[in-house]
Amino acid sequence: MVFSHRMAALAAVVVIPLGIAATSYALTDSPESPKVPPKVELESGSPSATPTSTAPPTPTPTPSDEVVSRPPVSDDDDDDDGPGDDG
């Protein structure tokens, strides 16, 4: 049976992407699940949480409420140079 040019083109359009997809699927690796150690050990030489001085800790000062004025509003955009602009 002789293939016509249309049948050959149709076969190429179908077979080539399927071949690429099958090759890509065959070459992908499936990731292994992460392995968790059965026991976690911490260092025994960790520093203690006791303060070295006997003075009570001073609280950090909170920032004062400062009122800042708004900047002036101006239309300095040059991005809106469209067909309907007068510029």
Side-chain angles (χ1 to χ4, degrees):
M1 182 172 160
V2 177
F3 279 103
S4 67
H5 291 292
R6 288 183 184 178
M7 290 298 291
L10 179 62
V13 167
V14 172
V15 170
I16 291 174
L18 286 177
I20 292 171
T23 304
S24 176
Y25 180 75
L27 293 177
T28 56
D29 292 335
S30 59
E32 295 180 11
S33 61
K35 297 178 181 174
V36 180
K39 184 178 180 183
V40 177
E41 295 181 12
L42 301 176
E43 292 183 18
S44 61
S46 62
S48 62
T50 58
T52 56
S53 66
T54 57
T58 57
T60 58
T62 59
S64 62
D65 292 333
E66 183 178 345
V67 178
V68 179
S69 62
R70 297 175 116 188
V73 178
S74 63
D75 186 20
D76 290 337
D77 291 359
D78 290 337
D79 296 343
D80 54 356
D81 292 338
D85 291 339
D86 295 326

